[in-house]
């Protein structure tokens, strides 16, 4: 049926850092929702490479990871014809607005950011200014495109809240300029936890390779990692307080298969953890196999990836520039 409603389509924007191949956590917490949102929203998705250099990066490796992340976004099902896909550093307005917003952001606000506290504890030899002002750049990434929603995992909620505060502050001080966006957090997969320490989030920078599933892991590796996942001595597949390991595996299985906790408990009633872990591993491997195949094909044609990046950056820059000019004019710059 033809859509006769004249309401403008709502916008969504999100970004991911090109720091290594993403994990199952990134996929279930964010990337999969990006794909689902393409049909309903006007979507902007970026590889946040400027954010990546807040920690030390080896240049050749970073460049390769930018290509890989861009290819991966297409491989998971983002369609450059439907969504605007681009690389953050190729759109200079991000760095420009970031400066202007950092002058509206208080030291105290930035000091309270959990990610800053975690990362500065982890990289004590490199607590640089960029690591501290990171949330102002993230706010710029978002506000430049005037999105209504920002699909992210639970860990980015605090940054999204600061973005909302900055948008409101600017609108109140100068006059309405920014759409005040809302974080869009799905219930399943919002916080996938480590397979080895299930109270911590699954992270690609974990030193223990068995703690996370990379989207590049092959079937045998995936099943092996799940079989080694930390559980408990209960040997009963059920969702309950204190059973962090099993709860995490159930959440992953539920996010992939769509089954409820009750259905999962019934499926594994009377069976041990071994069967359950293998089933989770097989479901994850089956979901990732077609993505891995498309990824390999895309990485074989860098010229095509560069052409897609260029088109994306041109479109993004056009949209971003409109917001940036408005902001500069309101702040008193001669434009
Ligand atoms: P990044 O690159 O660490 O992660 C990308 C997305 O994956 C989600 N995520 C998870 N979700 C569930 N469980 C997990 N274990 C898990 N680990 C990661 C993150 O919440 C995120 O949605 N600062 C951002 C990148 C960024 C951004 C932006 C995001 C830069 N500019 C503008 C949104 C809008 C980051 O470091 O995400």
């Amino acid at each position: 049926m033809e859509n006769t409603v004249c309401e403008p389509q709502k916008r969504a924007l999100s970004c991911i850092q090109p720091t290594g191949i993403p994990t199952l956590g990134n996929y279930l917490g964010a990337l999969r929702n990006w794909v689902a949102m393409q049909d309903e929203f006007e979507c902007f998705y970026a590889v946040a490479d400027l954010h990546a250099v807040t920690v030390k990066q080896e240049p050749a490796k970073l460049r390769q990871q930018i290509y890989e992340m861009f290819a991966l976004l297409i491989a998971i099902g983002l369609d450059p014809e439907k969504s605007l896909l681009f690389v953050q550093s190729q759109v200079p307005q991000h760095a420009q607005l970031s400066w202007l917003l950092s002058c509206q952001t208080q030291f105290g606000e930035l000091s309270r950011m959990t990610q800053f506290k975690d990362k500065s504890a982890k990289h004590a030899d490199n607590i640089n200014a960029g690591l501290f002002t990171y949330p102002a750049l993230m706010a710029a990434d978002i506000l430049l495109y005037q999105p209504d929603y920002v699909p992210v995992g639970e860990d980015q909620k605090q940054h999204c809240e600061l973005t909302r505060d900055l948008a409101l502050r600017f609108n109140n001080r100068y006059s309405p300029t920014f759409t005040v966006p809302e974080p869009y957090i799905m219930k399943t997969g919002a916080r996938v936890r480590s397979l080895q320490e299930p109270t911590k989030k699954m992270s690609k920078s974990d030193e223990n390779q068995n703690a996370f599933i990379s989207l590049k892991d092959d079937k045998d590796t995936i099943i092996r990692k799940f079989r080694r996942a930390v559980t408990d001595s209960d040997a009963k597949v059920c969702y309950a307080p204190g059973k962090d390991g099993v709860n995490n595996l159930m959440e992953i299985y539920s996010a992939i298969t769509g089954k409820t906790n009750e259905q999962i408990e019934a499926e594994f009633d009377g069976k041990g953890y071994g069967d359950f872990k293998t089933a989770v591993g097989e479901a994850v491997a089956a979901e990732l196999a077609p993505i891995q195949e498309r990824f390999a094909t895309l990485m074989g044609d860098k010229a095509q990836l560069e052409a897609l990046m260029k088109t994306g950056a041109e479109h993004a820059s056009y949209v971003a520039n409109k917001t940036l000019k408005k902001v500069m004019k309101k702040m008193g710059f001669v434009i």
Side-chain angles (χ1 to χ4, degrees):
M1 200 174 75
E2 216 172 292
N3 183 5
T4 49
V5 183
C6 289
E7 245 182 59
Q9 210 181 11
K10 297 262 189 203
R11 271 191 190 173
L13 172 134
S14 201
C15 309
I16 183 163
Q17 293 195 58
T19 41
I21 284 294
T23 66
L24 187 63
N26 297 121
Y27 179 65
L28 295 179
L31 298 178
R32 213 173 50 147
N33 308 326
W34 295 12
V35 179
M37 289 177 93
Q38 286 187 113
D39 296 323
E40 200 181 333
F41 300 96
E42 183 187 1
C43 296
F44 295 76
Y45 297 126
V47 175
D49 53 349
L50 293 174
H51 280 93
V53 295
T54 53
V55 299
K56 280 184 198 137
Q57 300 289 344
E58 208 261 291
K61 199 168 158 210
L62 176 64
R63 193 169 298 117
Q64 177 68 7
Q65 291 182 165
I66 296 168
Y67 281 112
E68 288 190 349
M69 186 57 80
F70 195 79
L72 195 84
L73 295 185
I74 301 172
I76 61 163
L78 294 177
D79 177 356
E81 301 276 314
K82 272 192 206 162
S83 301
L84 222 162
L85 307 182
F86 63 99
V87 175
Q88 180 193 32
S89 65
Q90 297 181 351
V91 182
Q93 288 83 2
H94 289 248
Q96 290 173 278
L97 183 62
S98 166
W99 173 254
L100 303 177
L101 290 179
S102 62
C103 297
Q104 319 281 331
T105 314
Q106 298 304 304
F107 182 88
E109 288 176 306
L110 294 172
S111 312
R112 283 193 290 276
M113 294 292 121
T114 316
Q115 186 170 300
F116 171 69
K117 289 193 238 171
D118 290 350
K119 286 206 175 167
S120 48
K122 211 161 155 194
H123 304 276
D125 59 333
N126 184 24
I127 307 177
N128 60 73
L131 194 62
F132 189 63
T133 57
Y134 179 117
L137 177 59
M138 180 158 160
D141 299 338
I142 299 172
L143 298 178
L144 278 173
Y145 300 92
Q146 311 279 6
D148 301 279
Y149 299 109
V150 184
V152 283
E154 205 56 64
D155 64 314
Q156 294 299 317
K157 204 170 158 203
Q158 195 185 29
H159 289 157
C160 290
E161 271 154 16
L162 179 64
T163 301
R164 285 173 60 84
D165 290 345
L166 290 176
L168 285 167
R169 188 173 305 160
F170 192 96
N171 289 351
N172 288 336
R173 177 158 180 201
Y174 296 99
S175 72
T177 309
F178 295 122
T179 303
V180 182
E182 277 182 44
Y184 191 91
I185 300 173
M186 302 300 277
K187 283 206 184 74
T188 51
R191 194 171 161 78
V192 177
R193 287 171 298 264
S194 155
L195 299 183
Q196 293 297 317
E197 282 178 84
T199 48
K200 279 183 15 191
K201 83 165 180 177
M202 180 181 283
S203 162
K204 56 195 162 213
S205 54
D206 203 311
E207 272 157 27
N208 184 348
Q209 296 284 319
N210 286 322
F212 62 90
I213 302 291
S214 146
L215 293 197
K216 260 186 168 176
D217 283 344
D218 61 25
K219 184 173 178 182
D220 290 348
T221 310
I222 294 173
I223 293 179
R224 182 170 40 79
K225 287 184 179 177
F226 276 110
R227 289 193 66 91
R228 288 188 184 164
V230 168
T231 44
D232 51 59
S233 53
D234 228 26
K236 187 167 165 44
V237 178
C238 69
Y239 199 95
K243 286 173 73 77
D244 297 319
V246 172
N247 294 349
N248 190 32
L249 297 183
M250 283 181 74
E251 281 172 32
I252 293 172
Y253 194 57
S254 164
I256 301 262
T257 61
K259 292 178 185 168
T260 62
N261 285 344
E262 293 71 35
Q263 287 168 329
I264 300 171
E265 285 166 9
E267 186 179 343
F268 295 98
D269 189 26
K271 294 186 187 153
Y273 283 161
D275 288 347
F276 174 53
K277 288 175 173 180
T278 307
V280 181
E282 277 174 355
V284 170
E287 170 101 3
L288 299 188
I291 296 176
Q292 293 170 342
E293 226 171 89
R294 285 193 293 270
F295 174 75
T297 312
L298 286 155
M299 281 306 289
D301 190 350
K302 280 200 175 156
Q304 190 206 3
L305 288 178
E306 281 165 8
L308 289 169
M309 285 177 183
K310 188 165 181 275
T311 313
E314 278 166 8
H315 287 173
S317 186
Y318 176 79
V319 179
N321 210 37
K322 282 207 236 173
T323 307
L324 180 69
K325 287 283 170 300
K326 231 192 255 181
V327 169
M328 291 182 73
K329 195 168 168 202
K330 291 190 186 194
M331 287 180 76
F333 292 98
V334 178
I335 55 161

